[in-house]
Amino acid sequence: MALMRSRYTAFVMGNADYLLSTWHPDTRPKQLELDPEQTWLGLVITDSFDGGPWDKDGVVVFTAHYRHNGARGSMTETSKFIRLRKQWLYVAAGSVG
């Protein structure tokens, strides 16, 4: 969950370099353009599975609230993470199971 929170903070701060550096190399895009018109308002982690000290992967379910072009919105995602050489990395959004 710590990586999920730090990645959310990177979205808030517009830090694409951090987002790319914490993305698994097999699924990482070559570049990432963040929308400067999107303002992130809050993160609510609703569930998590695995991702503990002895796990090799984990899942975090969250809702992120934002404002874009004056309109409020939210997105809910199930994010998959994997531990690679002692570092947790974001893999992709997907379903649990």
Side-chain angles (χ1 to χ4, degrees), residues 2-11 15-29 32 79-84 87-92:
L3 179 57
M4 181 67 244
R5 291 182 200 284
S6 71
R7 286 178 56 83
Y8 172 78
T9 299
F11 273 106
N15 189 345
D17 289 341
Y18 178 79
L19 293 166
L20 290 170
S21 73
T22 57
W23 209 311
H24 192 281
D26 289 348
T27 58
R28 178 175 49 227
L32 184 62
S79 293
K80 295 182 179 185
F81 296 86
I82 191 167
R83 188 190 322 253
L84 182 65
Q87 179 185 4
W88 283 103
L89 298 171
Y90 171 77
V91 177

Side-chain angles (χ1 to χ4, degrees), residues 1 46-52 55 57-61 78-79 81 88 96-97:
M1 275 200 289
T46 55
D47 213 345
S48 63
F49 309 92
D50 302 325
D55 295 318
D57 53 26
V59 173
V60 176
V61 182
T78 301
S79 293
F81 296 86
W88 283 103
V96 178

